[in-house]
PDB file of all heavy atoms in Angstrom:
ATOM      1  N   MET B1281      35.550 -16.734  -3.608  1.00 42.00           N
ATOM      2  CA  MET B1281      35.551 -15.918  -2.383  1.00 42.00           C
ATOM      3  C   MET B1281      34.169 -15.930  -1.777  1.00 42.00           C
ATOM      4  O   MET B1281      33.179 -16.009  -2.491  1.00 42.00           O
ATOM      5  CB  MET B1281      35.925 -14.482  -2.721  1.00 42.00           C
ATOM      6  CG  MET B1281      37.391 -14.309  -3.028  1.00 42.00           C
ATOM      7  SD  MET B1281      37.784 -12.551  -3.007  1.00 42.00           S
ATOM      8  CE  MET B1281      36.775 -11.957  -4.352  1.00 42.00           C
ATOM      9  N   ARG B1282      34.098 -15.829  -0.492  1.00 48.00           N
ATOM     10  CA  ARG B1282      32.793 -15.931   0.182  1.00 48.00           C
ATOM     11  C   ARG B1282      31.824 -14.853  -0.297  1.00 48.00           C
ATOM     12  O   ARG B1282      30.671 -15.111  -0.495  1.00 48.00           O
ATOM     13  CB  ARG B1282      33.011 -15.819   1.702  1.00 48.00           C
ATOM     14  CG  ARG B1282      33.256 -17.156   2.340  1.00 48.00           C
ATOM     15  CD  ARG B1282      32.776 -17.129   3.738  1.00 48.00           C
ATOM     16  NE  ARG B1282      33.268 -15.927   4.389  1.00 48.00           N
ATOM     17  CZ  ARG B1282      33.579 -15.877   5.661  1.00 48.00           C
ATOM     18  NH1 ARG B1282      33.493 -16.951   6.401  1.00 48.00           N
ATOM     19  NH2 ARG B1282      33.993 -14.763   6.205  1.00 48.00           N
ATOM     20  N   ASN B1283      32.350 -13.683  -0.476  1.00 53.00           N
ATOM     21  CA  ASN B1283      31.484 -12.581  -0.872  1.00 53.00           C
ATOM     22  C   ASN B1283      30.761 -12.880  -2.184  1.00 53.00           C
ATOM     23  O   ASN B1283      29.568 -12.663  -2.311  1.00 53.00           O
ATOM     24  CB  ASN B1283      32.314 -11.307  -1.060  1.00 53.00           C
ATOM     25  CG  ASN B1283      32.062 -10.353   0.088  1.00 53.00           C
ATOM     26  OD1 ASN B1283      31.151 -10.571   0.878  1.00 53.00           O
ATOM     27  ND2 ASN B1283      32.859  -9.326   0.194  1.00 53.00           N
ATOM     28  N   THR B1284      31.549 -13.372  -3.150  1.00 56.00           N
ATOM     29  CA  THR B1284      30.968 -13.626  -4.464  1.00 56.00           C
ATOM     30  C   THR B1284      29.913 -14.725  -4.372  1.00 56.00           C
ATOM     31  O   THR B1284      28.872 -14.651  -4.987  1.00 56.00           O
ATOM     32  CB  THR B1284      32.065 -14.057  -5.453  1.00 56.00           C
ATOM     33  OG1 THR B1284      33.175 -13.187  -5.298  1.00 56.00           O
ATOM     34  CG2 THR B1284      31.558 -13.988  -6.872  1.00 56.00           C
ATOM     35  N   ARG B1285      30.206 -15.755  -3.563  1.00 58.00           N
ATOM     36  CA  ARG B1285      29.260 -16.859  -3.467  1.00 58.00           C
ATOM     37  C   ARG B1285      27.952 -16.404  -2.848  1.00 58.00           C
ATOM     38  O   ARG B1285      26.880 -16.768  -3.298  1.00 58.00           O
ATOM     39  CB  ARG B1285      29.866 -17.994  -2.632  1.00 58.00           C
ATOM     40  CG  ARG B1285      30.217 -19.179  -3.506  1.00 58.00           C
ATOM     41  CD  ARG B1285      30.277 -20.448  -2.792  1.00 58.00           C
ATOM     42  NE  ARG B1285      30.998 -20.316  -1.555  1.00 58.00           N
ATOM     43  CZ  ARG B1285      30.952 -21.232  -0.610  1.00 58.00           C
ATOM     44  NH1 ARG B1285      30.253 -22.320  -0.777  1.00 58.00           N
ATOM     45  NH2 ARG B1285      31.598 -21.059   0.493  1.00 58.00           N
ATOM     46  N   PHE B1286      28.048 -15.593  -1.832  1.00 58.00           N
ATOM     47  CA  PHE B1286      26.829 -15.088  -1.202  1.00 58.00           C
ATOM     48  C   PHE B1286      26.008 -14.301  -2.206  1.00 58.00           C
ATOM     49  O   PHE B1286      24.804 -14.444  -2.315  1.00 58.00           O
ATOM     50  CB  PHE B1286      27.186 -14.228   0.011  1.00 58.00           C
ATOM     51  CG  PHE B1286      26.027 -13.402   0.491  1.00 58.00           C
ATOM     52  CD1 PHE B1286      24.975 -14.008   1.160  1.00 58.00           C
ATOM     53  CD2 PHE B1286      25.956 -12.045   0.233  1.00 58.00           C
ATOM     54  CE1 PHE B1286      23.893 -13.262   1.582  1.00 58.00           C
ATOM     55  CE2 PHE B1286      24.884 -11.309   0.663  1.00 58.00           C
ATOM     56  CZ  PHE B1286      23.853 -11.897   1.332  1.00 58.00           C
ATOM     57  N   ARG B1287      26.704 -13.478  -2.991  1.00 58.00           N
ATOM     58  CA  ARG B1287      25.987 -12.673  -3.972  1.00 58.00           C
ATOM     59  C   ARG B1287      25.354 -13.558  -5.029  1.00 58.00           C
ATOM     60  O   ARG B1287      24.267 -13.292  -5.485  1.00 58.00           O
ATOM     61  CB  ARG B1287      26.946 -11.697  -4.636  1.00 58.00           C
ATOM     62  CG  ARG B1287      27.395 -10.604  -3.706  1.00 58.00           C
ATOM     63  CD  ARG B1287      28.454  -9.787  -4.375  1.00 58.00           C
ATOM     64  NE  ARG B1287      29.144  -8.943  -3.417  1.00 58.00           N
ATOM     65  CZ  ARG B1287      30.171  -8.173  -3.735  1.00 58.00           C
ATOM     66  NH1 ARG B1287      30.612  -8.165  -4.967  1.00 58.00           N
ATOM     67  NH2 ARG B1287      30.751  -7.428  -2.837  1.00 58.00           N
ATOM     68  N   ALA B1288      26.082 -14.614  -5.391  1.00 59.00           N
ATOM     69  CA  ALA B1288      25.542 -15.518  -6.403  1.00 59.00           C
ATOM     70  C   ALA B1288      24.246 -16.134  -5.901  1.00 59.00           C
ATOM     71  O   ALA B1288      23.256 -16.211  -6.624  1.00 59.00           O
ATOM     72  CB  ALA B1288      26.550 -16.594  -6.741  1.00 59.00           C
ATOM     73  N   TRP B1289      24.231 -16.540  -4.643  1.00 62.00           N
ATOM     74  CA  TRP B1289      23.024 -17.124  -4.076  1.00 62.00           C
ATOM     75  C   TRP B1289      21.891 -16.117  -4.052  1.00 62.00           C
ATOM     76  O   TRP B1289      20.737 -16.447  -4.324  1.00 62.00           O
ATOM     77  CB  TRP B1289      23.296 -17.609  -2.642  1.00 62.00           C
ATOM     78  CG  TRP B1289      23.952 -18.943  -2.614  1.00 62.00           C
ATOM     79  CD1 TRP B1289      25.188 -19.240  -2.161  1.00 62.00           C
ATOM     80  CD2 TRP B1289      23.399 -20.175  -3.099  1.00 62.00           C
ATOM     81  NE1 TRP B1289      25.448 -20.569  -2.326  1.00 62.00           N
ATOM     82  CE2 TRP B1289      24.378 -21.168  -2.893  1.00 62.00           C
ATOM     83  CE3 TRP B1289      22.179 -20.529  -3.688  1.00 62.00           C
ATOM     84  CZ2 TRP B1289      24.168 -22.500  -3.241  1.00 62.00           C
ATOM     85  CZ3 TRP B1289      21.976 -21.848  -4.038  1.00 62.00           C
ATOM     86  CH2 TRP B1289      22.962 -22.816  -3.815  1.00 62.00           C
ATOM     87  N   ALA B1290      22.229 -14.895  -3.746  1.00 55.00           N
ATOM     88  CA  ALA B1290      21.192 -13.847  -3.683  1.00 55.00           C
ATOM     89  C   ALA B1290      20.527 -13.679  -5.042  1.00 55.00           C
ATOM     90  O   ALA B1290      19.307 -13.588  -5.157  1.00 55.00           O
ATOM     91  CB  ALA B1290      21.803 -12.528  -3.217  1.00 55.00           C
ATOM     92  N   VAL B1291      21.373 -13.675  -6.092  1.00 58.00           N
ATOM     93  CA  VAL B1291      20.822 -13.507  -7.439  1.00 58.00           C
ATOM     94  C   VAL B1291      19.966 -14.706  -7.817  1.00 58.00           C
ATOM     95  O   VAL B1291      18.861 -14.567  -8.338  1.00 58.00           O
ATOM     96  CB  VAL B1291      21.956 -13.356  -8.480  1.00 58.00           C
ATOM     97  CG1 VAL B1291      21.385 -13.310  -9.877  1.00 58.00           C
ATOM     98  CG2 VAL B1291      22.752 -12.104  -8.197  1.00 58.00           C
ATOM     99  N   LEU B1292      20.483 -15.891  -7.530  1.00 62.00           N
ATOM    100  CA  LEU B1292      19.722 -17.086  -7.882  1.00 62.00           C
ATOM    101  C   LEU B1292      18.398 -17.140  -7.146  1.00 62.00           C
ATOM    102  O   LEU B1292      17.371 -17.505  -7.707  1.00 62.00           O
ATOM    103  CB  LEU B1292      20.548 -18.341  -7.569  1.00 62.00           C
ATOM    104  CG  LEU B1292      21.699 -18.590  -8.549  1.00 62.00           C
ATOM    105  CD1 LEU B1292      22.564 -19.745  -8.073  1.00 62.00           C
ATOM    106  CD2 LEU B1292      21.154 -18.886  -9.935  1.00 62.00           C
ATOM    107  N   ALA B1293      18.437 -16.756  -5.878  1.00 63.00           N
ATOM    108  CA  ALA B1293      17.195 -16.761  -5.093  1.00 63.00           C
ATOM    109  C   ALA B1293      16.190 -15.799  -5.692  1.00 63.00           C
ATOM    110  O   ALA B1293      15.010 -16.117  -5.849  1.00 63.00           O
ATOM    111  CB  ALA B1293      17.498 -16.383  -3.641  1.00 63.00           C
ATOM    112  N   ALA B1294      16.680 -14.636  -6.059  1.00 60.00           N
ATOM    113  CA  ALA B1294      15.783 -13.633  -6.622  1.00 60.00           C
ATOM    114  C   ALA B1294      15.196 -14.113  -7.940  1.00 60.00           C
ATOM    115  O   ALA B1294      13.990 -14.014  -8.181  1.00 60.00           O
ATOM    116  CB  ALA B1294      16.544 -12.325  -6.832  1.00 60.00           C
ATOM    117  N   LEU B1295      16.060 -14.662  -8.793  1.00 60.00           N
ATOM    118  CA  LEU B1295      15.608 -15.173 -10.086  1.00 60.00           C
ATOM    119  C   LEU B1295      14.584 -16.283  -9.906  1.00 60.00           C
ATOM    120  O   LEU B1295      13.517 -16.274 -10.514  1.00 60.00           O
ATOM    121  CB  LEU B1295      16.804 -15.753 -10.846  1.00 60.00           C
ATOM    122  CG  LEU B1295      17.279 -15.014 -12.097  1.00 60.00           C
ATOM    123  CD1 LEU B1295      18.514 -15.690 -12.658  1.00 60.00           C
ATOM    124  CD2 LEU B1295      16.179 -14.965 -13.139  1.00 60.00           C
ATOM    125  N   GLY B1296      14.937 -17.212  -9.030  1.00 62.00           N
ATOM    126  CA  GLY B1296      14.046 -18.352  -8.795  1.00 62.00           C
ATOM    127  C   GLY B1296      12.687 -17.904  -8.306  1.00 62.00           C
ATOM    128  O   GLY B1296      11.659 -18.355  -8.803  1.00 62.00           O
ATOM    129  N   ALA B1297      12.700 -16.990  -7.358  1.00 57.00           N
ATOM    130  CA  ALA B1297      11.441 -16.517  -6.805  1.00 57.00           C
ATOM    131  C   ALA B1297      10.578 -15.898  -7.876  1.00 57.00           C
ATOM    132  O   ALA B1297       9.380 -16.182  -7.987  1.00 57.00           O
ATOM    133  CB  ALA B1297      11.721 -15.508  -5.697  1.00 57.00           C
ATOM    134  N   SER B1298      11.177 -15.041  -8.694  1.00 55.00           N
ATOM    135  CA  SER B1298      10.350 -14.339  -9.668  1.00 55.00           C
ATOM    136  C   SER B1298       9.891 -15.236 -10.800  1.00 55.00           C
ATOM    137  O   SER B1298       8.807 -15.054 -11.330  1.00 55.00           O
ATOM    138  CB  SER B1298      11.081 -13.106 -10.202  1.00 55.00           C
ATOM    139  OG  SER B1298      12.452 -13.376 -10.313  1.00 55.00           O
ATOM    140  N   LEU B1299      10.687 -16.222 -11.170  1.00 57.00           N
ATOM    141  CA  LEU B1299      10.261 -17.083 -12.258  1.00 57.00           C
ATOM    142  C   LEU B1299       9.230 -18.101 -11.807  1.00 57.00           C
ATOM    143  O   LEU B1299       8.367 -18.516 -12.569  1.00 57.00           O
ATOM    144  CB  LEU B1299      11.472 -17.802 -12.872  1.00 57.00           C
ATOM    145  CG  LEU B1299      12.404 -16.885 -13.685  1.00 57.00           C
ATOM    146  CD1 LEU B1299      13.584 -17.670 -14.238  1.00 57.00           C
ATOM    147  CD2 LEU B1299      11.652 -16.231 -14.833  1.00 57.00           C
ATOM    148  N   ALA B1300       9.313 -18.498 -10.544  1.00 58.00           N
ATOM    149  CA  ALA B1300       8.359 -19.486 -10.037  1.00 58.00           C
ATOM    150  C   ALA B1300       6.951 -18.932 -10.055  1.00 58.00           C
ATOM    151  O   ALA B1300       5.982 -19.656 -10.167  1.00 58.00           O
ATOM    152  CB  ALA B1300       8.746 -19.884  -8.616  1.00 58.00           C
ATOM    153  N   ILE B1301       6.865 -17.647  -9.983  1.00 54.00           N
ATOM    154  CA  ILE B1301       5.565 -17.003  -9.896  1.00 54.00           C
ATOM    155  C   ILE B1301       4.719 -17.227 -11.139  1.00 54.00           C
ATOM    156  O   ILE B1301       3.518 -17.424 -11.069  1.00 54.00           O
ATOM    157  CB  ILE B1301       5.766 -15.481  -9.687  1.00 54.00           C
ATOM    158  CG1 ILE B1301       6.282 -15.233  -8.281  1.00 54.00           C
ATOM    159  CG2 ILE B1301       4.486 -14.727  -9.909  1.00 54.00           C
ATOM    160  CD1 ILE B1301       6.873 -13.870  -8.109  1.00 54.00           C
TER     161      ILE B1301
END
Side-chain angles (χ1 to χ4, degrees):
Chain B
M1281 286 194 297
R1282 271 209 312 213
N1283 253 350
T1284 315
R1285 251 204 315 165
F1286 165 73
R1287 290 173 194 176
W1289 279 115
V1291 175
L1292 286 173
L1295 249 177
S1298 36
L1299 289 179
I1301 289 163

